[in-house]
């Protein structure tokens, strides 16, 4: 799934725009297509697309209560990993529930485009903490 044109045919929520505002927290190019408007909807959903090999940095969705993130995988193949655990292979239809205050990362496999819908779970006193990049050594060791 490394051909962008073929991937675009199955990426039903669309590529969106280059995710330039958060580029410093990604290795590789990502794209963001907001699906709801935070000004009119209390639940923010966005389709995030990663080019092959792209992944975000380790990060934490902090919350005093509630909070966290949901990922709904929609196209292509990717990875999700929580700190101290093995990486989980992602494919269309897979849902990942990320509790608040759990350090993790997610992104595309090295040979595939990948998209997921990211949902910010409402909570009290929520914030995001961006941490270090996933090293090339860590990433290259991942295998199906």
């Amino acid at each position: 799934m490394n051909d962008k044109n073929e991937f675009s045919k199955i990426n039903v929520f669309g590529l969106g725009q280059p995710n330039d505002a958060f580029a410093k927290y990604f290795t590789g190019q990502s794209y963001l297509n907001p699906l709801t408007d935070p000004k009119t909807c209390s639940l923010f959903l966005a389709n995030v697309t990663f080019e092959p090999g792209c992944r975000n940095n380790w990060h934490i969705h902090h919350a005093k209560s509630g909070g966290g993130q949901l990922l709904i995988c929609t196209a292509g193949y990717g990875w999700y990993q929580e700190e101290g655990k093995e990486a989980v292979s992602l494919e269309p239809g897979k849902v990942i529930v990320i509790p608040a205050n759990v350090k993790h990362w997610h992104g595309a496999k090295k040979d595939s485009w990948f998209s997921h819908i990211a949902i910010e779970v409402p909570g009290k006193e929520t914030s995001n903490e961006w941490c270090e990049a996933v090293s090339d050594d860590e990433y290259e060791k991942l295998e199906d």
Side-chain angles (χ1 to χ4, degrees):
M1 187 58 58
N2 61 13
D3 181 272
K4 186 176 181 180
N5 291 327
E6 289 300 311
F7 177 78
S8 294
K9 293 176 186 176
I10 63 168
N11 189 14
V12 297
F13 291 99
L15 188 67
Q17 299 300 314
N19 192 8
D20 294 339
F22 290 88
K24 65 183 176 182
Y25 304 118
F26 285 75
T27 298
Q29 181 67 56
S30 68
Y31 300 84
L32 185 66
N33 188 19
L35 302 177
T36 59
D37 182 349
K39 295 175 188 165
T40 60
C41 182
S42 62
L43 192 62
F44 181 66
L45 286 82
N47 190 50
V48 182
T49 299
F50 302 79
E51 71 179 1
C54 178
R55 66 250 185 209
N56 54 31
N57 288 8
W58 289 96
H59 59 286
I60 305 166
H61 303 278
H62 292 288
K64 185 172 182 179
S65 65
Q69 186 178 43
L70 297 172
L71 305 178
I72 302 171
C73 306
T74 59
Y77 300 94
W79 292 110
Y80 167 77
Q81 186 173 21
E82 292 181 5
E83 185 177 45
K85 296 185 178 180
E86 294 293 319
V88 175
S89 182
L90 302 177
E91 61 186 37
K94 181 93 173 167
V95 176
I96 299 291
V97 177
I98 307 166
N101 306 309
V102 171
K103 189 174 181 179
H104 66 281
W105 69 270
H106 34 102
K109 291 193 174 179
K110 52 188 155 191
D111 60 352
S112 181
W113 284 81
F114 175 64
S115 283
H116 63 53
I117 296 173
I119 303 165
E120 294 180 15
V121 177
K124 291 186 179 179
E125 298 181 31
T126 60
S127 65
N128 291 340
E129 176 186 355
W130 288 98
C131 306
E132 72 276 8
V134 176
S135 75
D136 290 341
D137 286 343
E138 286 176 287
Y139 183 78
E140 290 300 324
K141 290 178 184 173
L142 297 175
E143 296 180 18
D144 286 323

